[in-house]
């Protein structure tokens, strides 16, 4: 292990454990509220979401301050099942030039990837809580050991993770290998572009912070499930690990001087400005009211889904 590499890993770990467990919700980014209920209906271009989570990336350098990931989840009912859309957006300060970089999404992980035993609808934390330091280190090490030069870096990363499951991460995969890993090139040909004001005309929501960020739709997955509440909670509020890898590339002016990888564990949070107000009011009164406040939020999301089905 080279010294420089070790220093990179240590630097990443140091920042990873020092940041606060902060995932912003619809209450923070002020998603529009669905009429008559407490849940959100957040339209971004042609997608409609009911819950979001926003997590800042760690400090990479002065030229790259303020990047963040947003996970936004929506659901539509078909006749026999419910279809979920989980979409991932990169938030960047206006005009930032991205260095060569890939985002690696671990779309399918085991139920052990969670923030403790807290209510999954509201739970938040960092990767140190959702996984283990050993697994985080192994993922970062593996990414930085891939030959990141050349044109097909993201493909190489995807192949590397699909073919190799580190023992430290074994309990976080659903089988003997990672499955459903997607790596997206953030700057190459055909890479995701910021949503421009023309495309944005249909949006009523901008789930990022600060509000003047650009947003790029980087990745989305569709899944289906039955109509049960448990299925809904799992699809809406599951944790997705995203490994963001920045690497030097000669022809990129914004290039970083050495490769860096960081893991973000992101999930949507069941909180809106209205449900927060309801909950805050309930705090001083009885548990019964507080309890019903929370289940109302779930009912709220379900109502949206049923309304969408009838429309
Ligand atoms: C929730 O409500 C409390 C009390 O009004 C407020 O202090 C807090 O900032 C709100 N949280 C969010 C995320 O909006
Ligand atoms: C990368 O792509 C460019 C343009 O398509 C090509 O000129 C260059 O040789 C490629 N580099 C490598 C290492 O494959
Ligand atoms: C897109 O629309 C939303 C909602 O109207 C707005 O908050 C946001 O600033 C807009 N962004 C761009 C880039 O036009
Ligand atoms: C997911 O489903 C929506 C609506 O049915 C569709 O517009 C979108 O293209 C699908 N996305 C993927 C990644 O399949």
């Amino acid at each position: 292990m080279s010294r420089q590499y070790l220093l990179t890993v240590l630097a990443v770990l140091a920042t990873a454990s020092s940041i606060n467990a902060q995932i912003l919700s619809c209450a923070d980014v002020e998603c529009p509220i669905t009429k008559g209920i407490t849940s959100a209906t957040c339209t971004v271009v042609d997608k409609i979401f009911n819950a979001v989570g926003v997590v800042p990336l760690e400090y990479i350098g002065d030229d790259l301050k303020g990047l963040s990931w947003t996970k936004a989840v929506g659901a539509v009912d078909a006749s026999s099942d419910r279809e979920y859309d989980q979409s991932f957006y990169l938030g960047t300060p206006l005009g930032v030039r991205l260095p060569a970089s890939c985002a690696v999404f671990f779309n399918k992980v085991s139920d052990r990837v969670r923030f403790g035993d807290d209510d999954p609808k509201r739970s938040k934390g960092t990767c140190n809580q959702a996984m283990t330091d050993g697994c985080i280190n192994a993922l970062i090490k593996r990414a930085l050991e891939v030959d990141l030069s050349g044109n097909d870096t993201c493909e190489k990363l995807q192949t590397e993770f699909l073919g190799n499951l580190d023992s430290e991460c074994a309990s976080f995969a659903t089988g003997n290998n990672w499955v459903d890993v997607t790596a997206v090139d953030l700057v190459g040909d055909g890479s995701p572009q910021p949503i421009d004001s023309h495309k944005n005309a249909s949006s009523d929501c901008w789930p990022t912070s600060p509000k003047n960020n650009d947003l790029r739709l980087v990745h989305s997955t569709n899944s289906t499930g039955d109509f049960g509440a448990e299925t809904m909670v799992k699809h809406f509020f599951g944790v997705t690990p995203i490994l963001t890898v920045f690497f030097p590339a000669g022809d990129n002016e914004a290039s970083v001087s050495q490769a860096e990888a960081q893991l973000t564990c992101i999930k949507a949070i069941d909180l809106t400005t209205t449900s927060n107000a309801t909950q805050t009011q309930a705090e001083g009164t009885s548990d019964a009211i507080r309890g019903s406040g929370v289940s109302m939020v779930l009912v709220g999301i379900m109502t949206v889904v049923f309304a969408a089905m009838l429309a």
Side-chain angles (χ1 to χ4, degrees), residues 15 57-67 93 96-97 99 246 254 256 260 262:
T15 49
L57 267 83
E58 284 132 35
Y59 182 84
I60 301 155
D62 285 337
D63 295 341
L64 267 182
K65 271 193 295 218
L67 305 190
V96 149
R97 302 167 74 106
F246 300 93
V256 292
E260 176 164 343
Q262 54 180 273

mmCIF file of all heavy atoms in Angstrom, residues 15 57-67 93 96-97 99 246 254 256 260 262:
data_model
loop_
_atom_site.group_PDB
_atom_site.id
_atom_site.type_symbol
_atom_site.label_atom_id
_atom_site.label_comp_id
_atom_site.label_asym_id
_atom_site.label_seq_id
_atom_site.Cartn_x
_atom_site.Cartn_y
_atom_site.Cartn_z
ATOM 1 N N THR A 15 -12.610 12.948 7.538
ATOM 2 C CA THR A 15 -13.740 13.837 7.271
ATOM 3 C C THR A 15 -15.045 13.059 7.410
ATOM 4 O O THR A 15 -16.029 13.576 7.895
ATOM 5 C CB THR A 15 -13.644 14.474 5.869
ATOM 6 O OG1 THR A 15 -13.386 13.448 4.934
ATOM 7 C CG2 THR A 15 -12.554 15.519 5.811
ATOM 8 N N LEU A 57 -21.768 16.245 0.025
ATOM 9 C CA LEU A 57 -20.512 15.507 -0.078
ATOM 10 C C LEU A 57 -19.502 16.161 0.838
ATOM 11 O O LEU A 57 -19.646 17.324 1.209
ATOM 12 C CB LEU A 57 -19.988 15.512 -1.522
ATOM 13 C CG LEU A 57 -20.438 14.299 -2.336
ATOM 14 C CD1 LEU A 57 -21.823 14.547 -2.882
ATOM 15 C CD2 LEU A 57 -19.481 14.012 -3.465
ATOM 16 N N GLU A 58 -18.488 15.396 1.201
ATOM 17 C CA GLU A 58 -17.475 15.974 2.064
ATOM 18 C C GLU A 58 -16.559 16.889 1.276
ATOM 19 O O GLU A 58 -16.484 16.813 0.057
ATOM 20 C CB GLU A 58 -16.684 14.855 2.736
ATOM 21 C CG GLU A 58 -17.484 14.221 3.843
ATOM 22 C CD GLU A 58 -17.470 12.717 3.753
ATOM 23 O OE1 GLU A 58 -16.429 12.188 3.347
ATOM 24 O OE2 GLU A 58 -18.485 12.092 4.073
ATOM 25 N N TYR A 59 -15.846 17.697 2.007
ATOM 26 C CA TYR A 59 -14.955 18.685 1.419
ATOM 27 C C TYR A 59 -13.922 18.025 0.509
ATOM 28 O O TYR A 59 -13.244 17.092 0.897
ATOM 29 C CB TYR A 59 -14.240 19.426 2.561
ATOM 30 C CG TYR A 59 -13.317 20.504 2.101
ATOM 31 C CD1 TYR A 59 -13.817 21.764 1.818
ATOM 32 C CD2 TYR A 59 -11.964 20.258 1.968
ATOM 33 C CE1 TYR A 59 -12.963 22.770 1.397
ATOM 34 C CE2 TYR A 59 -11.109 21.253 1.547
ATOM 35 C CZ TYR A 59 -11.614 22.505 1.262
ATOM 36 O OH TYR A 59 -10.781 23.486 0.843
ATOM 37 N N ILE A 60 -13.817 18.508 -0.700
ATOM 38 C CA ILE A 60 -12.845 17.946 -1.637
ATOM 39 C C ILE A 60 -11.766 18.966 -1.952
ATOM 40 O O ILE A 60 -10.641 18.626 -2.252
ATOM 41 C CB ILE A 60 -13.546 17.501 -2.933
ATOM 42 C CG1 ILE A 60 -14.612 16.465 -2.610
ATOM 43 C CG2 ILE A 60 -12.555 16.924 -3.930
ATOM 44 C CD1 ILE A 60 -15.697 16.395 -3.612
ATOM 45 N N GLY A 61 -12.108 20.228 -1.867
ATOM 46 C CA GLY A 61 -11.168 21.291 -2.200
ATOM 47 C C GLY A 61 -11.980 22.538 -2.475
ATOM 48 O O GLY A 61 -13.187 22.442 -2.713
ATOM 49 N N ASP A 62 -11.326 23.676 -2.427
ATOM 50 C CA ASP A 62 -12.059 24.932 -2.545
ATOM 51 C C ASP A 62 -12.826 25.061 -3.853
ATOM 52 O O ASP A 62 -13.871 25.686 -3.904
ATOM 53 C CB ASP A 62 -11.102 26.110 -2.395
ATOM 54 C CG ASP A 62 -10.706 26.290 -0.933
ATOM 55 O OD1 ASP A 62 -11.483 25.816 -0.073
ATOM 56 O OD2 ASP A 62 -9.652 26.864 -0.657
ATOM 57 N N ASP A 63 -12.284 24.452 -4.924
ATOM 58 C CA ASP A 63 -12.967 24.555 -6.211
ATOM 59 C C ASP A 63 -14.206 23.676 -6.261
ATOM 60 O O ASP A 63 -14.997 23.770 -7.182
ATOM 61 C CB ASP A 63 -12.016 24.128 -7.346
ATOM 62 C CG ASP A 63 -10.842 25.079 -7.452
ATOM 63 O OD1 ASP A 63 -10.958 26.199 -6.932
ATOM 64 O OD2 ASP A 63 -9.824 24.683 -8.030
ATOM 65 N N LEU A 64 -14.334 22.807 -5.306
ATOM 66 C CA LEU A 64 -15.406 21.814 -5.371
ATOM 67 C C LEU A 64 -16.225 21.791 -4.088
ATOM 68 O O LEU A 64 -16.620 20.744 -3.611
ATOM 69 C CB LEU A 64 -14.791 20.430 -5.576
ATOM 70 C CG LEU A 64 -14.660 19.956 -7.016
ATOM 71 C CD1 LEU A 64 -14.089 18.565 -7.040
ATOM 72 C CD2 LEU A 64 -16.014 19.989 -7.701
ATOM 73 N N LYS A 65 -16.473 22.951 -3.548
ATOM 74 C CA LYS A 65 -17.288 23.029 -2.335
ATOM 75 C C LYS A 65 -18.754 22.896 -2.704
ATOM 76 O O LYS A 65 -19.160 23.303 -3.795
ATOM 77 C CB LYS A 65 -17.079 24.378 -1.657
ATOM 78 C CG LYS A 65 -15.930 24.371 -0.679
ATOM 79 C CD LYS A 65 -15.955 25.601 0.196
ATOM 80 C CE LYS A 65 -15.741 26.848 -0.608
ATOM 81 N NZ LYS A 65 -14.927 27.869 0.033
ATOM 82 N N GLY A 66 -19.533 22.354 -1.788
ATOM 83 C CA GLY A 66 -20.973 22.452 -1.932
ATOM 84 C C GLY A 66 -21.634 21.449 -2.851
ATOM 85 O O GLY A 66 -22.760 21.648 -3.266
ATOM 86 N N LEU A 67 -20.980 20.323 -3.159
ATOM 87 C CA LEU A 67 -21.666 19.283 -3.920
ATOM 88 C C LEU A 67 -22.564 18.492 -2.973
ATOM 89 O O LEU A 67 -22.265 18.342 -1.793
ATOM 90 C CB LEU A 67 -20.668 18.321 -4.575
ATOM 91 C CG LEU A 67 -19.572 18.882 -5.471
ATOM 92 C CD1 LEU A 67 -18.866 17.743 -6.202
ATOM 93 C CD2 LEU A 67 -20.137 19.876 -6.454
ATOM 94 N N PRO A 93 -23.037 23.834 -6.911
ATOM 95 C CA PRO A 93 -23.162 25.292 -6.962
ATOM 96 C C PRO A 93 -23.130 25.729 -8.423
ATOM 97 O O PRO A 93 -22.493 25.072 -9.259
ATOM 98 C CB PRO A 93 -21.920 25.785 -6.216
ATOM 99 C CG PRO A 93 -21.486 24.632 -5.369
ATOM 100 C CD PRO A 93 -21.884 23.405 -6.117
ATOM 101 N N VAL A 96 -20.138 25.369 -11.341
ATOM 102 C CA VAL A 96 -18.993 24.546 -10.939
ATOM 103 C C VAL A 96 -18.578 23.623 -12.079
ATOM 104 O O VAL A 96 -19.429 23.069 -12.769
ATOM 105 C CB VAL A 96 -19.351 23.699 -9.692
ATOM 106 C CG1 VAL A 96 -18.616 22.379 -9.685
ATOM 107 C CG2 VAL A 96 -19.025 24.453 -8.423
ATOM 108 N N ARG A 97 -17.289 23.500 -12.307
ATOM 109 C CA ARG A 97 -16.802 22.541 -13.299
ATOM 110 C C ARG A 97 -16.394 21.291 -12.554
ATOM 111 O O ARG A 97 -15.589 21.358 -11.616
ATOM 112 C CB ARG A 97 -15.607 23.117 -14.045
ATOM 113 C CG ARG A 97 -15.912 24.426 -14.732
ATOM 114 C CD ARG A 97 -14.620 25.067 -15.171
ATOM 115 N NE ARG A 97 -14.083 24.373 -16.327
ATOM 116 C CZ ARG A 97 -14.122 24.886 -17.554
ATOM 117 N NH1 ARG A 97 -14.650 26.060 -17.746
ATOM 118 N NH2 ARG A 97 -13.632 24.217 -18.558
ATOM 119 N N PRO A 99 -14.510 17.790 -11.910
ATOM 120 C CA PRO A 99 -13.361 17.024 -12.378
ATOM 121 C C PRO A 99 -13.847 15.679 -12.920
ATOM 122 O O PRO A 99 -15.012 15.319 -12.723
ATOM 123 C CB PRO A 99 -12.535 16.824 -11.108
ATOM 124 C CG PRO A 99 -13.490 16.959 -9.984
ATOM 125 C CD PRO A 99 -14.608 17.831 -10.448
ATOM 126 N N PHE A 246 -13.499 10.698 -7.656
ATOM 127 C CA PHE A 246 -12.894 11.773 -8.456
ATOM 128 C C PHE A 246 -11.479 11.326 -8.812
ATOM 129 O O PHE A 246 -10.788 10.755 -7.965
ATOM 130 C CB PHE A 246 -12.818 13.069 -7.642
ATOM 131 C CG PHE A 246 -14.156 13.565 -7.184
ATOM 132 C CD1 PHE A 246 -14.660 13.203 -5.935
ATOM 133 C CD2 PHE A 246 -14.926 14.382 -8.000
ATOM 134 C CE1 PHE A 246 -15.904 13.654 -5.509
ATOM 135 C CE2 PHE A 246 -16.170 14.832 -7.584
ATOM 136 C CZ PHE A 246 -16.658 14.470 -6.342
ATOM 137 N N ALA A 254 -10.629 21.004 -14.600
ATOM 138 C CA ALA A 254 -11.001 21.002 -13.185
ATOM 139 C C ALA A 254 -10.380 19.826 -12.429
ATOM 140 O O ALA A 254 -10.711 19.571 -11.279
ATOM 141 C CB ALA A 254 -12.520 20.947 -13.064
ATOM 142 N N VAL A 256 -8.664 16.888 -10.385
ATOM 143 C CA VAL A 256 -8.081 16.780 -9.043
ATOM 144 C C VAL A 256 -6.650 16.255 -9.190
ATOM 145 O O VAL A 256 -6.325 15.616 -10.195
ATOM 146 C CB VAL A 256 -8.892 15.823 -8.136
ATOM 147 C CG1 VAL A 256 -10.253 16.412 -7.813
ATOM 148 C CG2 VAL A 256 -9.037 14.447 -8.760
ATOM 149 N N GLU A 260 -9.681 10.415 -5.392
ATOM 150 C CA GLU A 260 -10.345 10.440 -4.097
ATOM 151 C C GLU A 260 -11.703 9.756 -4.234
ATOM 152 O O GLU A 260 -12.392 9.942 -5.235
ATOM 153 C CB GLU A 260 -10.532 11.880 -3.641
ATOM 154 C CG GLU A 260 -11.299 11.955 -2.348
ATOM 155 C CD GLU A 260 -11.181 13.301 -1.658
ATOM 156 O OE1 GLU A 260 -10.272 14.071 -1.983
ATOM 157 O OE2 GLU A 260 -12.001 13.554 -0.784
ATOM 158 N N GLN A 262 -15.335 8.814 -1.998
ATOM 159 C CA GLN A 262 -16.070 8.936 -0.741
ATOM 160 C C GLN A 262 -17.432 8.283 -0.860
ATOM 161 O O GLN A 262 -18.045 8.249 -1.918
ATOM 162 C CB GLN A 262 -16.176 10.380 -0.285
ATOM 163 C CG GLN A 262 -16.744 11.349 -1.273
ATOM 164 C CD GLN A 262 -16.792 12.754 -0.654
ATOM 165 O OE1 GLN A 262 -17.751 13.096 0.007
ATOM 166 N NE2 GLN A 262 -15.754 13.540 -0.882
#
